[in-house]
Amino acid sequence: MHIDLNNLNAKSLNNASALFDPDLPTASSVMASLNCVAVRFAINPSEDLAILAADLAYTLTAPEYAESSLIAEVAKNLVQLWDSVVNQYQINNGLSSSRITTIQ
């Protein structure tokens, strides 16, 4: 079974990175989903929405989505931004552990 990434280098599901989401086959689809979550967060902020946004940002860092250096750079910035938001929620809730950003 193969996923067509808009005629980019298609990979089999067995060879896909752990961050790749086959339900979101392109960087555009991940970014559209993240945008929807960000709008919902702007209207009604919550830790759950911040975590979902951070997870989508991490997803965008999968090599399958690195269609350009711009996307890779934006993904790294989004991870840092949303991790910061999640960490602030955790600090406010008295949790001592924070999300670890290890994007290269």
Side-chain angles (χ1 to χ4, degrees):
M1 177 179 207
H2 284 79
I3 297 173
D4 181 4
L5 301 178
N6 289 338
N7 296 322
L8 295 175
N9 296 326
K11 288 189 155 202
S12 70
L13 286 176
N14 294 334
N15 293 332
S17 68
L19 292 172
F20 179 73
D21 184 344
D23 291 331
L24 300 169
T26 65
S28 294
S29 61
V30 177
M31 292 178 82
S33 296
L34 181 53
N35 186 51
C36 290
V37 172
V39 167
R40 289 184 59 196
F41 182 86
I43 293 169
N44 188 19
S46 73
E47 184 176 8
D48 288 339
L49 287 173
I51 290 170
L52 179 56
D55 289 346
L56 285 166
Y58 273 104
T59 297
L60 190 59
T61 66
E64 292 85 352
Y65 300 121
E67 299 165 2
S68 70
S69 60
L70 176 62
I71 290 174
E73 187 63 29
V74 166
K76 286 171 43 176
N77 292 338
L78 287 169
V79 165
Q80 291 173 349
L81 170 82
W82 285 107
D83 269 354
S84 174
V85 173
V86 170
N87 287 337
Q88 191 59 52
Y89 270 102
Q90 292 177 345
I91 289 168
N92 291 344
N93 292 332
L95 300 176
S96 60
S97 64
S98 63
R99 290 173 65 99
I100 298 171
T101 305
T102 57
I103 303 301
Q104 299 182 20

